[in-house]
Amino acid sequence: GVTEGIQKQDWPKAISVLRLAKEFEVGDLTQQKIDFWLGYAIFNSARAQQEPNTLETARATLPRFQEVLRLMQSCGDYAQRNNRESNRQELLTATNTFIEIQEAIIRRGR
């Protein structure tokens, strides 16, 4: 998923492979690694999808950004042990911003 999806910025492929990987029984740090990269891929995919900033795209991407938030909150040990904590913090901040934006668009659209 990381080699064929993340490195090639093929977000759908990365998401598909990493979701499949989550089904396997693995250790906690490996699960956190999967969560980190899955969150990263979903974030980039949702960021591109929300671009028109319409009510439709806000409704479609809000749950995706919320999932990214949950994934990034669950992978702290992996991020700290692998020099990815600053990346995780940046993603958390950006994700919270996108959640606020999507929620505002949805509130205005109702």
Side-chain angles (χ1 to χ4, degrees):
V2 173
T3 302
E4 292 299 315
I6 301 288
Q7 290 178 355
K8 294 180 179 178
Q9 296 185 1
D10 183 346
W11 309 125
K13 181 171 189 136
I15 293 166
S16 174
V17 171
L18 291 165
R19 283 198 193 283
L20 181 62
K22 282 183 71 64
E23 295 179 21
F24 290 95
E25 216 169 292
V26 295
D28 189 48
L29 278 178
T30 301
Q31 187 62 55
Q32 288 187 37
K33 180 178 183 178
I34 294 167
D35 287 350
F36 178 86
W37 290 110
L38 178 58
Y40 180 80
I42 294 170
F43 174 85
N44 282 290
S45 176
R47 183 179 62 183
Q49 184 184 8
Q50 65 83 41
E51 196 56 42
N53 291 315
T54 64
L55 180 58
E56 180 180 283
T57 60
R59 285 183 175 151
T61 58
L62 178 59
R64 298 182 78 205
F65 286 119
Q66 291 168 333
E67 181 180 8
V68 171
L69 187 61
R70 286 188 301 274
L71 290 165
M72 285 297 127
Q73 290 171 335
S74 72
C75 66
D77 286 344
Y78 165 77
Q80 288 178 357
R81 291 179 185 203
N82 292 278
N83 277 342
R84 299 256 180 227
E85 183 59 22
S86 64
N87 301 107
R88 189 178 80 93
Q89 290 301 322
E90 288 173 16
L91 281 168
L92 283 167
T93 300
T95 299
N96 280 316
T97 300
F98 277 113
I99 288 171
E100 290 174 15
I101 291 168
Q102 304 322 302
E103 288 174 340
I105 291 169
I106 291 168
R107 275 193 307 274
R108 283 194 301 256
R110 287 191 179 159

